[in-house]
Amino acid sequence: MLAVVIVAVWTMIAMAVALVIGGAIRVADRRAPFTDHLAGLPADLTVEDILGAGAVQPSR
């Protein structure tokens, strides 16, 4: 009986920790587009931003 209680408590603790971590990931994901300027990246990153304005364009 004691083992069942211990397993139940550990399961509840693990579920609570998983919910907290999942919530933190969701909050970080929602805030990610607004923190790009902090890393020095433009908000709307394009190929020209990465390759530069003088990048060779493919011929058709």
Side-chain angles (χ1 to χ4, degrees), residues 2-60:
L2 182 61
V4 172
V5 171
I6 292 173
V7 169
V9 169
W10 275 106
T11 302
M12 291 173 57
I13 290 172
M15 289 175 62
V17 169
L19 287 173
V20 168
I21 291 173
I25 290 171
R26 281 192 296 275
V27 168
D29 193 37
R30 278 196 305 259
R31 292 182 180 175
F34 304 110
T35 59
D36 283 345
H37 68 281
L38 298 176
L41 298 173
D44 296 323
L45 193 62
T46 64
V47 174
E48 284 187 2
D49 294 327
I50 297 171
L51 298 179
V56 178
Q57 299 295 321
S59 61
R60 293 183 189 205

